Amino acid sequence: MDESGFEHETIRSHGYAPIGEPCIDSYNWQGKRRTNVIGALYEKMLFALDYFKHNINSIVFYHWCKHKLIPSLKTKCEIVMDNARFHKNKRVQKLLNRHGHRILWLPPYSPDLNPERG
């Protein structure tokens, strides 16, 4: 399972300014509008999909696990997660374990472990 976010506006990497003057602008990184999605994949099927107009945190993730993921799982599963801080929340781990699911953590990201780059 994993989550991803989509920006509502494009961040410009270039701009225009009069000759000889720097191109300066500001961007409020905290005020950006995003649509965030969470879903799980089993074999080649996506399920337990949900989207949010606010950032994903441990509370949102816990409720998604409780109300979307767990009811969708018909058997005890091994759930693969990355090391996002809200994935490591003890309440989430206890919830999944209580329902008989096992968590498998991906190793921390390392380009050395990516076979596509070798």
Side-chain angles (χ1 to χ4, degrees):
M1 59 72 36
D2 207 358
E3 63 287 322
S4 187
F6 304 92
E7 297 289 335
H8 289 230
E9 52 191 73
T10 303
I11 300 170
R12 306 274 183 216
S13 60
H14 296 80
Y16 295 97
I19 294 173
E21 293 184 27
C23 179
I24 299 173
D25 197 5
S26 64
Y27 185 78
N28 180 357
W29 292 97
Q30 301 305 314
K32 58 188 171 190
R33 294 183 344 176
R34 295 172 61 95
T35 297
N36 293 288
V37 296
I38 306 178
L41 181 68
Y42 181 77
E43 293 182 344
K44 292 185 179 181
M45 186 173 70
L46 283 170
F47 67 97
L49 296 170
D50 210 346
Y51 74 97
F52 305 90
K53 296 278 185 182
H54 49 272
N55 290 334
I56 307 298
N57 58 29
S58 60
I59 296 167
V60 172
F61 186 66
Y62 175 85
H63 286 284
W64 175 80
C65 287
K66 183 175 182 177
H67 300 290
K68 284 283 193 175
L69 180 63
I70 290 172
S72 299
L73 299 172
K74 304 302 179 206
T75 62
K76 292 176 176 55
C77 294
E78 292 180 337
I79 299 171
V80 179
M81 290 195 270
D82 62 25
N83 292 285
R85 182 175 292 158
F86 53 83
H87 291 168
K88 297 266 186 170
N89 180 281
K90 295 292 182 201
R91 189 172 175 221
V92 169
Q93 292 179 41
K94 287 179 184 177
L95 173 71
L96 294 171
N97 292 150
R98 189 169 56 243
H99 284 86
H101 306 295
R102 182 174 165 217
I103 299 171
L104 296 177
W105 300 107
L106 291 173
Y109 173 74
S110 172
D112 298 336
L113 298 176
N114 187 343
E116 299 296 320
R117 296 192 160 258

